[in-house]
Amino acid sequence: MTVPNASQAPAQEQHTNIWKVAAASFIGTAVEWYDFFLYGTAAALIFNRLFFPSFDPLMGTLAAFATFAVGFVARPLGGIIFGHFGDKLGRKSMLSATLMIMGLATFAIGLLPTYESIGVGAPILLVLLRILQGFGLGGEWGGAVLMAVEHAPANRRGFYGSWPQMGAPAGLLVANAVFSLFSKLPEEQFVSWGWRVPFLFSAVLIGIGVFIRVSVAESPAFRAQQAAHQVSKAESAGPQKLPILEVLRTYPRQILLAMGARFAENGFFYIVTTFVLTYGVEQLKLEKATMLNGVLAATTVHLVAIPAFGALSDVVGRRPVYLGGAVACALLAFPFFWLIDTKSTALIVVAISLGIIAHAAMYGPQASFFSELFGTRVRYSGASLGYQLASVFAGGLSPLVATFLLSQTGGKPWPVSLYMVGLALVTLVSVYLSAETFRGHLSEPAPPAPSAGAEGTGERREVA
């Protein structure tokens, strides 16, 4: 049976809707990432003193980054649960729920008593709230990118799919800007209450994000599946038709390749935006403001680079753009730290900006690339699973691994550079083995057996 066209609306209505959806995806995702990145910035700069004061500074930082990593462990669970209901009930209905979970957890972190007040209970509560953050973000990404990709014209999925991806640098930009502002307070005030305000400010952003998202229509591809009675129905079809089990049975290769494709993108990003703060402040004894301003300046470049690379992938394909980004990450691994070690503000901005551009070459086309690997029935589950599982082993661990490697060499960053090269190699192999997807149609079924021989054909390989 042929699945109906993804949308029956007039062309003008489609044009209007996609911009509305893209804007809503961008704003909502930016709010989620603001909350998530805020924790990473605080973990790098202050949490070691507030929640792990009994450790020396380096071990306290390791402990803070360990709680940072916990959020990534929770993300696959969020992806599985919200992916299940997103494939059964729709993409839109999941997005407000994930936003609320993230916002409440972030707001609560701003109210947490510190180790000095309640002892070991403080880091335990911090970990629990970080788990909630990860759970919410784990369900957020899949729904946000699918709303954008499934609403987009076939020849513009890379560009519009990059809009929710832009939410990551936007969230990072706002998180670091707000944290930078309050870090200028006298040290006693910042440690006492200043660090809390950015977390409490999350309540305002969450209200804005939910208000915007409720006005967006459901994904046309999902509505088409509903009309054709092809949405996964676990209750009537038995446990083998649970979306998560169906995607594991039908698309195991695609899930593994998506995971591998994320290693350089995800791990590299948290090294150049989160670990670098600790490296600059603790190892090079630079001012917090210097490092934060370097990240802020580079993040503005990121906002432009992501949609540019997403649009480029609509022309030349997802794989060439993604592979170029992975190669750039490997080539920058050593020069990145050479530039940071100069302690020159200008060169620090250059280093982080180059890293951000390399990351954008992968992150820009990623939403459309991952979405096109899976059929509509299980796309939320499949894209979320590949994306979120990799975050546990790549982004979640990278600041922790980098800090540990630094401690083993007396502060010399060359092992961290080798680690970054290793991440890039995993991604290069995974993307090379993936099929090109940019010329396919989300609603048309095709065999799901990609091979290296199909790399440049531009054919879709999907079960819809």
Side-chain angles (χ1 to χ4, degrees), residues 63-138:
F65 277 144
T67 65
F68 176 76
V70 165
F72 287 82
V73 176
R75 283 169 64 173
L77 180 60
I80 290 170
I81 292 176
F82 286 103
H84 168 81
F85 289 106
D87 282 327
K88 286 171 57 63
L89 305 177
R91 288 57 165 124
K92 176 184 174 180
S93 58
M94 298 300 106
L95 292 179
S96 293
T98 60
L99 201 56
M100 290 298 295
I101 290 172
M102 173 66 86
L104 290 173
T106 304
F107 185 81
I109 289 173
L111 300 175
L112 271 184
T114 63
Y115 187 94
E116 185 179 2
S117 300
I118 63 170
V120 72
I124 290 174
L125 289 173
L126 184 67
V127 168
L128 291 176
L129 291 173
R130 182 58 175 172
I131 289 173
L132 278 180
Q133 278 194 322
F135 181 74
L137 189 65

Side-chain angles (χ1 to χ4, degrees), residues 183-241:
S183 69
K184 294 176 182 178
L185 289 168
E187 187 71 8
E188 183 179 348
Q189 294 181 34
F190 177 66
V191 172
S192 174
W193 60 268
W195 70 271
R196 298 181 182 274
V197 179
F199 288 90
L200 300 177
F201 179 60
S202 173
V204 176
L205 298 180
I206 292 298
I208 295 171
V210 171
F211 176 77
I212 291 172
R213 280 188 164 173
V214 296
S215 65
V216 177
E218 180 57 88
S219 152
F222 182 81
R223 293 200 311 267
Q225 285 287 351
Q226 281 185 313
H229 305 291
Q230 293 186 9
V231 177
S232 294
K233 295 186 180 296
E235 292 86 351
S236 60
Q240 73 278 12
K241 288 299 183 182

Side-chain angles (χ1 to χ4, degrees), residues 267-325:
F268 195 83
F269 180 77
Y270 285 101
I271 288 174
V272 303
T273 61
T274 299
F275 169 74
V276 74
L277 297 176
T278 295
Y279 180 72
V281 174
E282 300 290 342
Q283 186 63 38
L284 302 182
K285 307 304 179 184
L286 296 170
E287 294 293 326
K288 290 193 293 288
T290 299
M291 299 308 300
L292 283 170
N293 289 338
V295 173
L296 287 175
T299 303
T300 59
V301 176
H302 209 198
L303 277 169
V304 177
I306 287 175
F309 283 117
L312 181 61
S313 77
D314 285 326
V315 179
V316 303
R318 317 295 183 217
R319 292 175 69 255
V321 179
Y322 212 115
L323 287 169

Side-chain angles (χ1 to χ4, degrees), residues 7-14 17 223:
S7 176
Q8 305 298 329
Q12 182 60 41
E13 182 182 343
Q14 290 185 42
N17 284 344
R223 293 200 311 267

Side-chain angles (χ1 to χ4, degrees), residues 275 279 333-338 341 402 405-422:
F275 169 74
Y279 180 72
F334 284 91
F336 174 77
F337 286 104
W338 296 341
D341 286 345
L405 291 174
L406 199 68
S407 71
Q408 299 302 298
T409 58
K412 299 185 186 306
W414 63 264
V416 183
S417 297
L418 288 176
Y419 172 60
M420 293 160 75
V421 172

